[in-house]
Amino acid sequence: MTVKTRLAPSPTWFVHIWSLRLALYDYLFAKKNNWIYALRVEDTDQTRLVDEAFWNMVKVFEEVWIVPDEWPAPYADLWNWPYIQSERLDLYRPFIDKLIEEWNAYYCFCSSERLEALRNQQTELKLPTKYDWLCRDIPLAEAKIRIEAWERYTVRLKVPKWEKIVFEDLVRGRVEFSSSDIDDQVLLKSDWFPTYHWAVVVDDFLMKVTHVFRWVEWLSSMPKQILVAKYLWIELPKYAHLPLIVDINRKKLSKRSWDVAVEEYLKKWYLKEALLNFILFLWWNPKTTEEIFSVPEMIEKFDIKDVHKADAVFDIEKLNWMNSKYIIKTDINELFEKLDKYLAEYENDFHKDVFSKFDKQYNMKILKELQTKIKKFDEYKDLTWFLYNDANIRLDLLLSEKMWIDSLDFAKKSLKLSLDILNSRDAFTQDELKEIFIEKIKENWLKNGQVLWPTRVALSWEEFSIGAFELIGVLGIEKSRQRIGKILEQI
Ligand code: GLU
């Protein structure tokens, strides 16, 4: 038997972090054994579709390398393709006809007004909202006459009154339902589109899907799908219903907010490897102390048995941490290329007017200093603007209680000392620079911070920045002298 997983997103908006997680698990589970991972588009709810969503989804999955073996579209000539539900309507028809002919589904002629009134009434009486079976016993011949007379209809599943429905979930184990809690689900809508519950069973069957990873929220749809499959004599795939993602306050992550769009994470330039690792570890425990895997390592180590049952907490700080680890690990030339591409795409003005006006060597020097400090690329501009521009000097920043600098006169003396050191030679290595500074500071009976703080401020005009020695390294001796000189003139 060939094992096959599938992802079946509805292209309604952006690619949700949830979908990336499902896609990753589908992909790892399939690749682990050279199996197949397919992508299907579930667009039966035509009112919620967003035009660009499909191509956007394709782009995102390609960008993060979670590339399906079977795509929805390019195989349109084969009988079982495309994997786009709205283009498969003819494929579903024989299956619903079988259900109707064998009395396992029935035509329902109730208007939406009647159904709404029924729902309201049940809600008022605090009863479960369910269809009241009004059309369940209409003889088939009579129903067909009404259809020929153009009456609008839907088709509903005939759920047995009392039946225990049991199945074995790959993550949750045995799960039991009672059919008496289940509504007579609409399978065919009045616009002749199938509902999810019916289409999903038929599609997974026709696509020969063997394993499905999906949200625990779909668990309640299991009994309906089990009944449909039973009536059609179809064997269902194995299911793993995965826990939700919650925020750090344990609230379910919103479905609509951009905070959960994979596109946004790629834009902020989280590295893809970091994003995938973060997603992987949300619910999965590799039982090792290693925290960062390459994709081939993920494939090798992934085992569905290690997936947690509990909800996963989406902690952005952890993602930031992983990203910083990846940035440190990345070869500097590769990192430079990524940064350049990121800035050109997402910080276009800065890239055009600032970054690319400086030579590569200078930009590279800055990146080398930042490689161990930056968590993600969208911090780059703010952390470095003073290395590209001269700004208004803020004298107040020179003072610091913590560093024991209580007057501008004091700061001035410290800055003169720094300038003298910088004027004493034409070039320094980083080590020499440190050594000479420390020696001179000692000779003058000062503390390191009393000299290095105002020097750092004079070079960066910032409250926070990389250290004084690193700044001199990036700016070079000449520019450093100029900046310190300029501030001395103003005190
Ligand atoms: N279209 C459903 C979704 O977007 C798929 C559910 C399933 O995997 O069966 O969540």
Side-chain angles (χ1 to χ4, degrees), residues 249-447:
N249 302 317
R250 302 252 155 209
K251 280 219 200 87
K252 191 179 138 187
L253 272 200
S254 143
K255 271 200 180 154
R256 308 250 175 264
S257 146
W258 274 97
D259 296 353
V260 286
V262 177
E263 293 89 317
E264 278 301 290
Y265 289 89
L266 295 174
K267 262 188 214 163
K268 286 185 197 144
W269 252 75
Y270 284 100
L271 297 180
K272 294 157 201 179
E273 298 87 338
L275 194 58
L276 291 181
N277 267 272
F278 173 67
I279 301 275
L280 178 71
F281 285 111
L282 275 178
W283 296 264
W284 183 69
N285 178 356
K287 302 196 174 124
T288 72
T289 48
E290 282 164 74
E291 292 234 47
I292 289 186
F293 293 150
S294 65
V295 174
E297 278 167 347
M298 287 186 202
I299 295 174
E300 191 202 314
K301 303 249 165 64
F302 183 75
D303 189 336
I304 185 76
K305 285 197 212 82
D306 300 329
V307 172
H308 310 269
K309 278 195 203 117
D311 290 344
V313 180
F314 190 86
D315 180 357
I316 198 81
E317 283 311 318
K318 175 118 191 196
L319 175 57
N320 289 343
W321 174 82
M322 281 198 166
N323 212 52
S324 63
K325 289 268 166 204
Y326 259 98
I327 288 182
I328 292 171
K329 258 176 66 175
T330 308
D331 167 74
I332 188 76
N333 292 307
E334 197 184 322
L335 194 66
F336 185 85
E337 248 172 61
K338 288 181 175 185
L339 175 70
D340 190 41
K341 206 171 134 219
Y342 165 79
L343 293 174
E345 202 166 339
Y346 299 115
E347 306 270 12
N348 192 261
D349 288 345
F350 175 75
H351 185 262
K352 191 164 66 143
D353 303 333
V354 182
F355 189 78
S356 55
K357 294 258 159 69
F358 284 75
D359 64 21
K360 184 171 174 186
Q361 225 186 345
Y362 186 72
N363 288 329
M364 193 69 142
K365 256 203 255 172
I366 298 177
L367 185 61
K368 270 189 193 149
E369 286 307 333
L370 285 184
Q371 189 172 14
T372 52
K373 300 177 183 73
I374 199 167
K375 291 202 210 84
K376 49 192 172 37
F377 284 174
D378 67 348
E379 296 167 353
Y380 185 84
K381 195 172 105 187
D382 285 348
L383 286 175
T384 61
W385 71 270
F386 57 86
L387 296 170
Y388 296 106
N389 301 288
D390 287 349
N392 291 330
I393 294 169
R394 277 183 56 194
L395 293 180
D396 61 307
L397 285 181
L398 292 170
L399 305 180
S400 162
E401 221 174 289
K402 217 170 111 200
M403 300 294 171
W404 302 78
I405 307 166
D406 52 8
S407 72
L408 285 179
D409 269 351
F410 188 95
K412 193 170 181 176
K413 274 186 214 130
S414 298
L415 287 174
K416 272 197 180 136
L417 181 70
S418 298
L419 191 58
D420 286 346
I421 297 173
L422 293 181
N423 281 334
S424 67
R425 286 199 199 183
D426 286 339
F428 300 86
T429 64
Q430 282 284 308
D431 288 342
E432 284 167 353
L433 197 64
K434 263 186 217 166
E435 233 170 77
I436 299 174
F437 260 90
I438 304 291
E439 204 182 287
K440 291 281 175 207
I441 290 170
K442 251 197 201 153
E443 267 174 30
N444 286 280
W445 296 91
L446 294 167
K447 291 182 192 304

Side-chain angles (χ1 to χ4, degrees), residues 6 8-10 40 42 196 200 204 212-215 218 225:
R6 57 77 173 159
S10 304
R40 177 175 75 230
E42 302 214 323
Y196 161 74
V200 73
D204 284 342
V212 171
F213 296 88
R214 63 180 181 187
W215 301 108
W218 290 110
Q225 289 167 33

Side-chain angles (χ1 to χ4, degrees), residues 96-127:
I96 200 105
D97 287 344
K98 179 173 163 67
L99 290 178
I100 296 168
E101 294 301 328
E102 293 176 3
W103 281 93
N104 290 315
Y106 61 92
Y107 292 107
C108 172
F109 299 95
C110 292
S111 65
S112 46
E113 292 78 26
R114 174 177 189 273
L115 295 173
E116 199 186 319
L118 178 67
R119 253 194 315 273
N120 292 341
Q121 202 182 13
Q122 288 169 333
T123 315
E124 245 169 61
L125 296 170
K126 299 205 163 43
L127 293 170

